[in-house]
């Protein structure tokens, strides 16, 4: 199998898992959102630690200890992904799967805004148009919900911020996930201890199957991230960008078709505006990518071979 095909396989695998993740999270009830988040963190640390030990790749921890700025960046990334995970779990288990899907549809547009305000990037006219249409979509959805779509916005901003932090850190997927989860592990353990002392811990008190599902949260968290890293190393950025819409489409399908969440006409109109913004954004990215490659080929120096 070629690296390109393997990249697509990894990419589809990661987004398929993320797309059907609401079904898994529903099975974790009656555990509360914070308890589920704590288990997700703790079992991720253990799973990735075993993986790194099997790969004999633990020496990176010593080098990180000598890089305080990197450690601070990891702390920021850990806080952002904790907010993202916690908000997503809360949304799914409070029957707001459709709104969580909206957050991941909006995410690329928020990433563009971060590029403007944090990285000082300049936008092309089509990108400004996409942002304007996206803002109109949020306005329509605010009218429909009777409030701004807070959950979707928190998910979009936290994940876009996490992506920016990861880009600046440049850590490999497994190592980065391990350190981020390790930063959060002590607060997670403290919360579970407090919950157990109050008699409110679901872990071990519902059924053997429920306990196994909570333990499996580590694998369910780490595997799609590792698949995504494999895809990112093999696919062009434009292809990876197109694949990212697979997950929210599947999440939306879960919310409407499986969990029967309402989709009134005004909400559908808001989603349609979001999809229009993403279409403009994606087509512009594809066109810009082709133009950049054409310019690179035209300006590439000729190679002279002596026979």
């Amino acid at each position: 199998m070629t690296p390109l095909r393997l990249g697509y396989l990894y990419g589809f695998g990661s987004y398929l898992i993320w797309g059907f993740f609401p079904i898994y999270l529903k099975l974790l009830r009656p555990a509360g959102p914070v308890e589920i988040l704590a288990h997700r963190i703790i079992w991720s640390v253990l799973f990735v630690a075993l993986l790194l030990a099997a790969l004999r790749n633990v020496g990176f921890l010593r080098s990180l200890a000598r890089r305080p700025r990197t450690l601070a960046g990891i702390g920021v990334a850990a806080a952002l992904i904790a907010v993202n995970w916690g908000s997503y779990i809360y949304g799914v288990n409070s029957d707001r799967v459709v709104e969580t899907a909206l957050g991941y549809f909006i995410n690329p547009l928020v990433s563009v805004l971060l590029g403007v305000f944090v990285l000082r990037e300049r936008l092309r006219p089509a990108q400004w148009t996409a942002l304007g249409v996206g803002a109109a979509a949020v306005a329509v959805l605010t009218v429909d919900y009777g409030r701004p779509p807070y959950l979707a916005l928190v998910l979009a901003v936290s994940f876009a911020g996490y992506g920016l932090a990861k880009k600046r850190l440049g850590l490999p997927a497994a190592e980065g996930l391990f350190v981020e989860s390790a930063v959060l592990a002590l607060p997670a353990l403290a919360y579970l201890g407090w919950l157990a002392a109050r008699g409110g811990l679901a872990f071990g008190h519902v059924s053997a199957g429920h306990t196994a599902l909570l333990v499996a949260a580590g694998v369910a968290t780490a595997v799609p991230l590792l698949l995504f890293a494999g895809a990112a190393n093999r696919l062009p950025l434009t292809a990876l960008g197109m694949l990212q819409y697979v997950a929210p489409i599947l999440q939306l399908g879960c919310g409407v078709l499986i969990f029967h969440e309402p989709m009134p006409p005004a909400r559908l109109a808001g989603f349609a505006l979001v999809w229009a913004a993403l279409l403009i954004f994606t087509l512009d990215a594809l066109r810009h990518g082709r133009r950049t490659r054409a310019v690179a080929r035209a300006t590439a120096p000729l190679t002279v071979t002596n026979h």
Side-chain angles (χ1 to χ4, degrees), residues 230-271:
N233 290 334
R234 292 169 174 84
L235 292 179
L237 190 59
T238 50
L240 201 61
M242 293 292 290
L243 283 177
Q244 73 179 324
Y245 303 132
V246 170
I249 288 171
L250 292 174
Q251 291 163 5
L252 179 62
C254 287
V256 175
L257 301 176
I258 298 177
F259 305 127
H260 306 293
E261 294 185 14
M263 180 61 83
R267 193 166 305 168
L268 186 59
F271 269 84

Side-chain angles (χ1 to χ4, degrees), residues 10 34 37 61 81 103 121 161 181 189 209 211 214 216 220 235 244-245 249 284 294 300:
Y10 286 157
V34 183
L37 173 62
L61 289 173
I81 200 61
E121 295 177 354
S181 299
L189 282 170
T211 300
L214 283 171
L235 292 179
Q244 73 179 324
Y245 303 132
I249 288 171
D284 175 72

